[in-house]
Amino acid sequence: MIKAVRGTRDLLPPDTALWNFVEAAGRDVFRAYNFQEIRTPVFEETQLFSRSVGEETDIVSKEMFTWEDRGRAQSEKGQSLTLRPENTAGVVRAYIEHKLWERGLNKLYYIGPQFRRERPQKGRYRQFYQIGAEIIGPPTAGSESPARDAEVIELLATFLDRLGISGWNLELNSVGCPNDRAAFNEALRKALQPVVSKMCADEPCRQHFEAVQEILKAVGVPFVMNDRLVRGLDYYTRTAFEFTHGALGAQNAILGGGRYDGLSESLGGPSAPGIGFAIGEDRLVMSLKESADAVLRKPNVYIAPLGPGMNREAARLARELRRHDLVVELGDETFRLKKSFETATKLGAKFTLIVGENEVKADSFAVKNLETGEQVSVPRQELVAKIQSDR
């Protein structure tokens, strides 16, 4: 028997209802913050990731799915391609290729699969899913402002609250810019002076980070400082952050992100300071497992056709009800009534609606409330109101 490849999995109902709930909530929040969706290819030229993520990172050196795409004809050159291990590099590539700086400040989000050849473990897969966003644009559009950092972080707090995730923690740090890192490394090598003594009070990165904190305090987003917090990709600068949650155990990070000023220039583009984040959707859904039953929308009504020719009448009735945003499941005219009731109960339907020859002639149908056991006859024109009033 052929099975799913190691490190991948099938997402099946009813779990997919929870995934759809998360993604729909994300889209609603992004809309409120004026983000627009971008969809980039799932594979790119390998050098995009080696130049942006970093040659020495585990992602590039050990985890990427890379292959040589040979030309179909001898005159065509082959190229090295890679399934995307993350999405920021692809978004910045698209920003440069399509000259998105002409639009000013770009607020973009994406939802989709990423690929890394990691050791599979709980909540981590070789094909995994991310919800992410980026704010990127020319400095003149305000892309370098600490207000953008705070906006992204506050958006995430709103999103987690919208999902009903309580007890999250936000950890903040600034990893500085390349100039800061060089000075820091020098201080470590000499080991003669405290790192603090090499930083002046009016350092731009420090001012930027302090402004981010001030805005977060003003909007009521709680955070803690973590001077050991770093990001694993080379392109990160300045603000770095993580949201964590105790429900995920020792590996408790739900999402992370930070600023990546300079990434566009490293890929041959113009100056385009940016900040973004990526949510590990697999792990986020894990933290919501207890909410799965509340999210799954069960049938409002199960229609039970009784006798020959009733499938047609039941289908007509189902179409009318579905036009009013009711979830309808159809039985079959060959089923006994007992089987229909058992099936409706198993599906979690609130009502069973019986469609028999007598009901069709009278244009009034038996509706049974499966929670209370009450059964009443309801005229066709009143069915929607009856079902909606009790759902």
Side-chain angles (χ1 to χ4, degrees):
M1 182 176 64
I2 299 175
K3 296 183 178 181
V5 175
R6 181 172 182 263
T8 68
R9 59 175 175 157
D10 301 304
L11 299 175
L12 306 173
D15 289 348
T16 43
L18 195 53
W19 285 72
N20 286 330
F21 167 73
V22 168
E23 292 170 8
R27 292 180 188 278
D28 287 344
V29 172
F30 286 134
R31 188 178 303 114
Y33 285 76
N34 197 33
F35 280 73
Q36 296 179 309
E37 186 177 13
I38 183 172
R39 302 188 186 191
T40 60
V42 296
F43 58 89
E44 303 267 6
E45 287 192 46
T46 302
Q47 63 172 334
L48 173 65
F49 304 112
S50 60
R51 288 170 57 181
S52 59
V53 175
E55 289 276 11
E56 303 302 320
T57 61
D58 282 351
I59 292 176
V60 172
S61 63
K62 301 177 182 178
E63 298 172 359
M64 295 201 311
F65 288 94
T66 299
W67 72 97
E68 195 66 27
D69 187 43
R70 295 176 295 179
R72 297 182 63 182
Q74 289 185 346
S75 60
E76 293 180 347
K77 291 180 61 178
Q79 59 182 156
S80 179
L81 302 178
T82 295
L83 290 173
R84 64 186 185 196
E86 60 91 51
N87 221 153
T88 298
V91 171
V92 176
R93 189 267 309 148
Y95 173 86
I96 297 169
E97 182 174 344
H98 301 287
K99 299 181 179 179
L100 296 185
W101 58 83
E102 295 177 352
R103 304 182 183 184
L105 191 67
N106 292 265
K107 301 171 74 174
L108 307 168
Y109 77 89
Y110 56 83
I111 301 174
Q114 320 294 326
F115 307 86
R116 296 182 191 176
R117 191 183 281 107
E118 290 188 290
R119 178 175 171 270
Q121 53 185 296
K122 183 180 180 181
R124 295 189 182 278
Y125 303 91
R126 291 182 171 182
Q127 176 176 318
F128 59 99
Y129 295 83
Q130 285 186 343
I131 300 174
E134 321 288 347
I135 299 182
I136 184 172
T140 54
S143 60
E144 200 169 7
S145 169
R148 302 286 74 80
D149 302 42
E151 181 182 25
V152 163
I153 294 170
E154 192 250 325
L155 177 155
L156 287 165
T158 300
F159 178 47
L160 295 180
D161 290 342
R162 179 76 63 90
L163 293 178
I165 296 178
S166 59
W168 51 261
N169 296 297
L170 167 60
E171 298 182 355
L172 282 184
N173 193 22
S174 176
V175 296
C177 54
N179 292 337
D180 298 323
R181 294 177 190 175
F184 182 70
N185 290 336
E186 181 66 20
L188 286 178
R189 282 193 295 269
K190 292 181 178 180
L192 296 175
Q193 296 176 329
V195 174
V196 173
S197 69
K198 300 186 70 64
M199 298 181 177
C200 53
D202 59 353
E203 184 178 0
C205 291
R206 181 184 295 275
Q207 289 182 332
H208 185 280
F209 192 47
E210 288 176 349
V212 173
Q213 296 173 63
E214 289 172 4
I215 297 173
L216 290 177
K217 290 175 183 176
V219 298
V221 176
F223 63 89
V224 295
M225 299 297 298
N226 180 356
D227 57 9
R228 294 181 178 272
L229 175 64
V230 294
R231 308 302 303 155
L233 309 183
D234 283 2
Y235 53 65
Y236 280 111
T237 60
R238 289 187 171 180
T239 305
F241 60 87
E242 276 188 358
F243 282 80
T244 62
H245 193 269
L248 295 175
Q251 300 295 323
N252 61 355
I254 301 176
L255 61 93
R259 181 164 282 281
Y260 47 84
D261 303 346
L263 177 54
S264 176
E265 294 95 313
S266 73
L267 296 175
S271 175
I275 183 169
F277 65 84
I279 302 171
E281 192 174 359
D282 304 78
R283 294 173 61 75
L284 180 61
V285 170
M286 278 177 55
S287 70
L288 290 170
K289 278 292 186 182
E290 294 180 359
S291 309
D293 289 341
V295 168
L296 178 63
R297 187 175 176 188
K298 298 176 180 179
N300 299 110
V301 60
Y302 179 94
I303 298 182
L306 294 179
M310 291 300 106
N311 274 351
R312 178 186 60 202
E313 299 298 332
R316 289 176 55 195
L317 200 54
R319 182 171 174 81
E320 293 174 18
L321 298 178
R322 286 166 176 158
R323 286 173 174 170
H324 293 272
D325 194 35
L326 293 173
V327 180
V328 180
E329 181 59 54
L330 273 171
D332 190 84
E333 62 188 26
T334 62
F335 293 174
R336 294 180 179 274
L337 190 57
K338 180 181 178 181
K339 179 177 180 179
S340 291
F341 281 135
E342 290 174 348
T343 303
T345 301
K346 186 176 181 180
L347 292 173
K350 180 73 178 292
F351 297 96
T352 296
L353 193 160
I354 300 170
V355 180
E357 187 175 349
N358 292 337
E359 284 79 11
V360 172
K361 287 181 180 178
D363 209 25
S364 186
F365 302 86
V367 177
K368 182 173 183 177
N369 186 316
L370 294 173
E371 294 180 359
T372 66
E374 177 191 26
Q375 181 170 312
V376 294
S377 182
V378 181
R380 180 188 292 266
Q381 65 269 23
E382 298 177 15
L383 282 172
V384 172
K386 170 65 177 174
I387 296 169
Q388 287 180 334
S389 65
D390 291 326
R391 66 174 174 172

